[in-house]
Amino acid sequence: MGTAGDKSLSNEQLRIVEVKESAWFEACPGAGKTRAIVERFRRRSADEPRLGVALVSFTNAATDVVKQRCADSPELWEAPNFVGTIDTFVNRFIVAPSYKFRVGKVPAFRANLDHEPGSNVTAAGERAELAWFDFDEYGKAELKPGKCDDVKRSKALWRLKKQRPKCRALERAAEAAWSELSRQGVVTAGESRRRMSEYLADEETRGILAEIVRYRFAEVIVDEAQDSDASDIELFIFLRECGVRLVLVGDPDQSIFEFRARKKDATDGQPEVLRFTPQLESPEPLNDNWRSSPAICAISGSLRHSGQVNRAIGPNLNCDFPIHLLQYSDEANLAPTIIGVLEQYQLDPSDVVVLAHWGEVAMRAAGAGEKKKPSTSALFRVATNINELQDLNRPGRERRRALGDLTKLLRNTNRETRGWTWEEYLDSIRMSRSEMDYRVLDLAMRAPKPFAGTPSDLLKYLDGCRESQAAIGWSSARLVADVKWPEMPTPSADALKYSTVHSYKGRESTAVALVLPRNSAGIEDWVNGSQSPNRRMLYVGVTRAQRLLILVTHADVSEAVVRMLGDADVNFVQQAQ
């Protein structure tokens, strides 16, 4: 199984490939860790013809990269091997067999209930969605108005919270709906992790699972292991007890998905994985950076809390572009200035991506307008989702969310099927979920640009989609055209590519314009030498750049940034907007 593999790996990268015991490797951005773990996956798969090797990460995007790099050997990700997210691994090899053993049926896993038909509840004259509640391990519901993205409805729910009898009636309805979905075998991501803990705590179930895992896998390789939370560590401990070799690769300074954490008593800002790695071998870190220029590596080293350095060693070793500081007061006017900086270094606008913590800030800085104001108009919300799907510069995560929202909006135009379960609905239209998604996406991509015309123009298009309405089961008759769209800024003709730092993690660009926050979060931690997710966010942002880094700093924080760059002896220049 597998091929001869990549023979051009560095000595640093070969440490990952050739380690014999369970180990933890720290690897800086641009260290070539993905090449190394793919090569290890190839070789270990060939060495273990009777047992499988699993390669897991924390996002679908990361596992897609692995599959692309193994495209010449598709058998590598077939059984007994596994390539996928850690959530899928938990679902398939821990929760599914245990659930079937205990309940007698195969669970239906869902990432969440945001778009689950049958998840709307009504009580005491009020209506809500299950996605607006939190559920404890016993299924008790608590209404969370902040989870509702409709501003008007959210305010109404906050008022409802003060009317305890009505609120409790709605929560009881949610508990009943949750119970019914559970009876049907629906298991959400959070519920899956809770069940994993429950199953591993039971001696009999743990023993059964140990036999399954022990005879399936010789090794589990974990990419981006810095994003592990307490539940993941629980899984790692179990795998080691089963005799499975565990190879973790990551960079603690890139731990920015703190919202995944399930930590109850950690207050030091330390990534959860570092509480586990002392149990593993820890060879020398991989600090050779094959991606970035010396100036970018210098600021990267300053931002790292671990104290490790990033050594420029790749094709940009001789690039002498300084870090460019661009001070601003209004993000909406930045795009032309960023383009002017690119021209100074003979770079094209297509070479840059604008990054920020918040998507709305990145959009404004890139000259791409800003997020639309919430509206109670169903047609406006349909238009907003179509517009986001048509914007190919948007991060994939945002476009997938827009597809789910659009599907839900169209479904809700049909009162007859609104309360049906997902299985009942798909059975009625005789489609798979993937075919349904394709149909909705096709409808969106064929639509005229919603905000280039009037609400009536979009409604006319939707009225004409008779085949789609018949096939999917929605009705344009439930949509009403407003007189005009809410007033919105028009994107500049010079709009640049943009993304959030979270969505761009794992990717790279010739040039990066990183918009630093107006407040001191992250920068203050950088100055004080404190460890925090905000400081790590800055680190991840700057390390996406290959040749040119533009730090877009607000006047309130630029002085502190200049001081830190000077202290770190970073080559930089400064100009006002």
Side-chain angles (χ1 to χ4, degrees):
M1 183 180 288
T3 67
D6 191 338
K7 298 183 176 64
S8 62
L9 296 170
S10 70
N11 289 333
E12 274 200 338
Q13 293 160 351
L14 283 171
R15 291 206 294 267
I16 295 178
V17 176
E18 297 174 349
V19 68
K20 302 298 184 183
E21 304 295 333
S22 292
W24 154 245
F25 289 90
E26 289 190 31
C28 75
K33 67 176 179 60
T34 302
R35 290 180 62 201
I37 63 173
V38 169
E39 180 60 16
R40 180 176 183 88
F41 180 60
R42 287 178 178 275
R43 295 191 190 184
R44 294 294 298 132
S45 298
D47 293 342
E48 298 286 352
R50 303 187 68 178
L51 289 174
V53 177
L55 200 167
V56 303
S57 190
F58 290 85
T59 64
N60 288 313
T63 57
D64 288 344
V65 169
V66 172
K67 290 183 178 181
Q68 289 169 8
R69 297 193 182 195
C70 296
D72 60 331
S73 305
E75 72 278 5
L76 282 173
W77 61 79
E78 297 175 354
N81 291 342
F82 171 84
V83 176
T85 66
I86 194 165
D87 287 327
T88 303
F89 184 93
V90 167
N91 291 346
R92 185 176 301 177
F93 301 110
I94 304 296
V95 176
S98 304
Y99 188 97
K100 187 174 181 181
F101 170 70
R102 288 188 169 195
V103 181
K105 66 169 64 176
V106 177
F109 293 106
R110 301 285 184 265
N112 51 57
L113 297 176
D114 287 353
H115 312 296
E116 185 71 16
S119 62
N120 295 328
V121 296
T122 303
E126 302 291 340
R127 179 176 167 274
E129 300 175 9
L130 287 189
W132 303 344
F133 296 85
D134 277 349
F135 296 88
D136 67 14
E137 59 185 298
Y138 304 107
K140 185 176 180 179
E142 180 184 358
L143 180 63
K144 295 288 185 178
K147 289 189 170 186
C148 174
D149 58 6
D150 184 304
V151 174
K152 185 176 180 180
R153 177 63 64 83
S154 181
K155 289 180 178 178
L157 292 174
W158 281 115
R159 291 193 295 270
L160 178 66
K161 285 262 305 184
K162 298 178 180 179
Q163 304 174 44
R164 192 56 194 160
K166 280 191 173 184
C167 181
R168 187 66 197 118
L170 200 58
E171 289 172 341
R172 283 196 295 269
E175 290 164 5
W178 174 270
S179 176
E180 174 60 21
L181 287 173
S182 297
R183 188 190 64 77
Q184 296 170 16
V186 173
V187 176
T188 63
E191 175 70 4
S192 178
R193 289 311 181 98
R194 188 195 67 75
R195 285 182 177 274
M196 181 185 78
S197 296
E198 176 189 326
Y199 297 151
L200 293 181
D202 179 79
E203 185 176 347
E204 180 184 14
T205 308
R206 190 183 185 96
I208 294 172
L209 289 172
E211 290 297 302
I212 293 173
V213 170
R214 187 177 295 120
Y215 289 104
R216 174 66 186 263
F217 294 110
E219 177 170 308
V220 174
I221 304 167
V222 184
D223 187 22
E224 304 289 359
Q226 75 276 351
D227 293 325
S228 306
D229 65 11
S231 178
D232 301 321
I233 302 305
E234 189 176 5
L235 172 66
F236 298 160
I237 292 171
F238 171 68
L239 292 174
R240 290 206 69 203
E241 289 178 1
C242 293
V244 176
R245 184 185 296 107
L246 200 60
V247 177
L248 274 57
V249 185
D251 180 1
D253 290 310
Q254 291 192 70
S255 177
I256 62 173
F257 290 95
E258 67 280 359
F259 49 80
R260 291 189 74 251
R262 299 176 177 90
K263 296 182 286 187
K264 296 182 179 179
D265 54 4
T267 58
D268 57 5
Q270 176 176 264
E272 189 74 20
V273 71
L274 295 183
R275 307 176 197 280
F276 171 72
T277 53
Q279 303 177 33
L280 310 177
E281 283 193 15
S282 295
E284 285 295 310
L286 282 70
N287 289 323
D288 287 347
N289 187 317
W290 296 81
R291 172 187 299 162
S292 303
S293 70
I296 295 167
C297 285
I299 185 176
S300 301
S302 175
L303 280 164
R304 295 188 78 172
H305 182 268
S306 64
Q308 300 290 339
V309 297
N310 292 9
R311 296 185 293 263
I313 195 174
N316 293 313
L317 173 62
N318 297 318
C319 176
D320 60 359
F321 294 172
I323 306 300
H324 203 103
L325 264 65
L326 179 60
Q327 187 172 306
Y328 77 98
S329 56
D330 184 359
E331 299 102 336
N333 301 320
L334 276 169
T337 311
I338 292 173
I339 292 172
V341 174
L342 295 171
E343 291 173 348
Q344 294 179 40
Y345 300 97
Q346 287 77 54
L347 295 176
D348 189 82
S350 63
D351 292 326
V352 73
V353 61
V354 178
L355 300 180
H357 189 157
W358 302 107
E360 293 84 348
V361 173
M363 288 176 70
R364 287 196 298 272
E370 58 186 277
K371 197 168 184 178
K372 319 304 177 297
K373 296 179 181 179
S375 171
T376 57
S377 164
L379 184 64
F380 178 74
R381 285 180 285 156
V382 167
T384 299
N385 287 305
I386 289 176
N387 187 62
E388 292 179 359
L389 286 168
Q390 291 179 347
D391 182 359
L392 301 184
N393 286 329
R394 279 185 177 274
R397 182 177 63 179
E398 292 186 13
R399 296 183 74 234
R400 285 192 294 272
R401 178 202 51 75
L403 179 60
D405 286 347
L406 181 58
T407 300
K408 186 174 182 180
L409 285 165
L410 295 180
R411 283 269 342 262
N412 283 344
T413 62
N414 188 333
R415 288 182 173 177
E416 180 182 348
T417 62
R418 184 181 293 175
W420 290 10
T421 65
W422 188 240
E423 288 75 16
E424 289 171 337
Y425 172 69
L426 289 176
D427 185 60
S428 72
I429 61 174
R430 299 181 181 180
M431 275 187 203
S432 65
R433 176 63 188 267
S434 59
E435 185 180 357
M436 168 73 176
D437 286 344
Y438 174 81
R439 293 249 188 176
V440 175
L441 180 62
D442 182 64
L443 177 145
M445 299 308 290
R446 291 175 181 272
K449 291 188 178 300
F451 301 119
T454 67
S456 295
D457 293 334
L458 178 61
L459 186 57
K460 182 178 179 181
Y461 164 75
L462 295 172
D463 280 337
C465 297
R466 298 299 180 184
E467 182 181 352
S468 173
Q469 294 184 46
I472 302 176
W474 62 280
S475 172
S476 60
R478 299 284 300 168
L479 301 172
V480 179
D482 298 324
V483 176
K484 61 179 181 179
W485 298 124
E487 187 173 344
M488 294 169 291
T490 303
S492 164
D494 295 325
L496 304 169
K497 291 180 293 187
Y498 66 91
S499 177
T500 63
V501 175
H502 281 105
S503 295
Y504 212 72
K505 185 174 178 291
R507 301 169 66 184
E508 58 188 32
S509 177
T510 302
V512 167
L514 177 63
V515 185
L516 275 62
R518 294 188 181 210
N519 58 35
S520 59
I523 297 171
E524 183 176 337
D525 296 320
W526 184 18
V527 171
N528 296 333
S530 302
Q531 183 171 210
S532 73
N534 287 320
R535 177 178 175 179
R536 295 195 288 266
M537 186 81 68
L538 300 181
Y539 173 71
V540 171
V542 303
T543 55
R544 303 308 94 199
Q546 296 170 304
R547 295 174 61 79
L548 176 64
L549 173 64
I550 304 171
L551 288 182
V552 185
T553 62
H554 193 266
D556 293 346
V557 298
S558 63
E559 183 178 336
V561 173
V562 168
R563 185 168 68 253
M564 291 304 296
L565 294 179
D567 290 347
D569 198 24
V570 176
N571 179 20
F572 73 95
V573 295
Q574 185 178 13
Q575 78 174 64
Q577 183 177 346

